[in-house]
Amino acid sequence: MAKTLIPFGPQHPVLPEPLHLKLVMEDEIVVEAIPALGYIHRGLEGLATRRDFNQMVYVVERVCGICSCIHAMCYCQAIEGLMGLKVPPRAQYLRVIWSELHRMHSHLLWLGLFADGFGFESLFMALWRVRERIMDINEATAGNRVIISTNIVGGVRTDINTGYLQEILRTLKTVEAELKPLYDTMMNDYTVKLRTVGKGVLTKEQAWQLGAGGPTLRGSGWAHDMRTLGYEAFHELDFEPVVETDGDAYARTKVRFREVFQSIDLVRQAIAKLPDGILAVPVKGNPTGEITTRVEQPRGELFYYVYCNGTPNPERVRIRTPTFANIPPLLAMLPGVELADVPVIVLSIDPCISCTER
Amino acid sequence: MMILGKLLLGVIGLALATFIGGFISGLDRKITARMQSRFGPPLAQPFYDVLKLWGKAPMAVNAWLVLCAYLTLMASALSVFLFFAQSDLLLIFFVMTIGAVFQVMGALSVNSPFSHVGAQRELLQMFTYEPLIILVIIGIAMHTGSFSIASIYALDTPLLYSMPFLYVALGIAFTIKLRKSPFDISASHHGHQEIVRGVLTEYTGRQLAMLEVAHWLDVVLLLGLCSLFWSTSAIGLFLLLAVTYFAELFVDNVSARLTWGWMIKRALGPGVALAMVNLLWLYAIK
Amino acid sequence: MLMGRTIIKNLLHKYATRLHPYEQRILPDKFRGRFRFIIDKCIMCRNCAVKCPTKCITIDPETGLWEREVMACVYCGVCADVCPTGCIIMTNVYRPPITEPTKLTFMCTPRPKKKKPTEEAQTMNKKDVETAIKQQQAERTAPSLPVSEE
């Protein structure tokens, strides 16, 4: 049969990310997907060599427009590791709170986009409305809605006062109440299930072999969550990685939606245990040596390699983002699916191409 | 004299239908926005859109596309005109179909794969809604003994009493024709779809404005078909149309977009079955 | 159909959005919005220019030039944090859009001559800063400081 080539991206209304997939189609079935990347390479890793290691915190924060705080946290951990700094406990807990708030708003953003991907506009609007509350917390506590710039080497920049902590708890209660019916819709609605169940199946073995990460991996049955490493204050909090076993778009959606609830729980625990104390330790001198750090981003494992040579400018900063790991599994999922399911499957790995290309 | 009166009625109806269609589209956006807790655009936004599109620099891909846009608009206008001139239902249906076919022809005349896939899907949609509308028209003819609209207005009980299942079948066809979820398969209102805007992808500027107006007219025509089911009183007619349109919006907002395979299995099959049951019933009570 | 309840609720309840330019939101105090620079408080210490991640601030202590590239600024608020005199303030007002690369130029009083005028501000110790502030304040006795906004 004659093969047709359907371009998907880099400017595509369903996928607001500059990923170009050439879909080789036979009839309405995808035979092969050929990815093309590199549309928004910004050279941030190169910029790292020309900036002070303190200034770099704000630069790496702009690697990703959604999980910015977590990038900065990972980078700060690397520099702190090199300089042997001990982050004060209050700063550790505040970092946990902000990173979990970021995870929530990232997942809600994704769930909304996913709903939009299969044409469920009202669900999309409802989810983004909930997300707005989380971003309002960010705005009130850190000064900005997404790029919050709270992390610095040695601790955090701003504090959350006790009065506002209660406000956060109240907001989280509303968020939880508002999300319950939406969870029900996303997971049990007939039309939604028709679009997600059994689409883009990634078996347990495949997921491991292709090196998937984050919810894509957990949706295929692996309890693999970097937070279990216990960085920052995660070792003092009680949580279990969310795991689903089906490995399809539905399972990945479920993992993410359950992680939103898990994050609400983690923020509550962190607020309950939040110790008093200073926010940051003073930083003296320049870092030397090389180090790798790993944290859990909303999309999966985030990896930083930093090599410093005793000057204020790091010699090398290497960032490996989770979407980079999730593209090979995506390419394995696509052959054999219908064209109508392509957006659902592409979105189900939560692609963040801007992260990937830095 | 009789013919002249009908022609006049048709012209007035067509002029009114354009405005009513635009406002229905505006109201549609308003209510949808309200359902999503938004304010939505002003009521006259569809007119602004069309005027803006009309003012765009002409960028048609080829001459066929322009011709097809004109023919689509003309066919839609003619079918509305015929409806208000109280003509033959079958004739109206065929003219309406010509409009839809030319829209697809235009989409197929260009090289864009999005447009092609959209056109194929539009054909599948036509394959789904046309039998349903035909069956509704057959039902009306069985009940009144004529394909003429005037004969429906001569009835003294609303058609809905004897044809409730056919009304449901017409509702399915209406949802498909409105391009609303779960049937926004070939082109959705907002272009967030794997094939961008499907059948409408390659139309721009004036051509797109014409197709938009044609869409309003199609909606008015289908609402007109729905209105035939309560031809006895104006209030009943208005209520029926309001409830129908609200139901469309509700369904649009509670469902995801589905695939054409599902549409043929779950919309055409049950739709035809419902219509057949109703036709048998009509046959039995005759 | 499970979405039905939410939709009916939305229909009956208030709008979740607002008609933005007509109805303004109250922004939190910490919001990093419009950038304010109080010229007369500036002591030309160059702290902001050195710490800025995008290097959008240029300072020339010799001539008293203070310049900021508006489009390069990412509004991280570091300059406001490190400013010893508090002459840079992030107000909680939305930033107006700009359409082309703009430079905000202020002419301040040139820094009073020190022993080493070419020395970097980084090495300037705390005492120097404090004395500089005092000097500045003594020099300027105007009741209200002129404030410049972008």
Side-chain angles (χ1 to χ4, degrees), chain B residues 117-198:
Chain B
V117 177
Q120 312 281 7
R121 291 189 186 175
E122 179 73 18
L123 284 174
L124 283 163
Q125 288 195 351
M126 284 166 68
F127 171 71
T128 312
Y129 71 75
E130 285 187 348
L132 298 178
I133 295 180
I134 278 281
L135 285 170
V136 169
I137 293 172
I138 290 172
I140 291 172
M142 273 176 79
H143 192 71
T144 61
S146 152
F147 281 116
S148 154
I149 295 177
S151 63
I152 298 167
Y153 284 108
L155 293 173
D156 38 352
T157 52
L159 270 178
L160 191 64
Y161 289 154
S162 48
M163 303 164 62
F165 294 138
L166 273 171
Y167 193 73
V168 176
L170 185 62
I172 295 173
F174 191 27
T175 319
I176 299 174
K177 197 72 189 159
L178 268 177
R179 307 192 188 288
K180 285 205 177 294
S181 287
F183 303 116
D184 45 351
I185 295 162
S186 73
S188 68
H189 270 292
H190 48 111
H192 291 197
Q193 205 183 356
E194 69 277 8
I195 50 169
V196 193
R197 275 205 87 180

Side-chain angles (χ1 to χ4, degrees), chain B residues 235-258:
Chain B
I235 300 167
L237 184 150
F238 180 75
L239 275 178
L240 180 71
L241 292 189
V243 167
T244 309
Y245 209 89
F246 187 80
E248 295 291 348
L249 288 177
F250 188 80
V251 169
D252 180 37
N253 272 294
V254 297
S255 56
R257 176 189 309 124
L258 295 170

Side-chain angles (χ1 to χ4, degrees), chain A residues 115-151:
Chain A
D116 195 41
F118 50 71
F120 206 145
E121 209 190 335
S122 57
L123 182 59
F124 160 62
M125 295 284 175
L127 283 162
W128 276 37
R129 221 169 94 199
V130 179
R131 177 176 177 250
E132 206 64 19
R133 295 192 191 283
I134 315 252
M135 294 210 295
D136 284 347
I137 298 179
N138 279 347
E139 199 176 22
T141 55
N144 230 342
R145 291 155 71 76
V146 177
I147 313 273
I148 59 171
S149 302
T150 49
N151 290 301

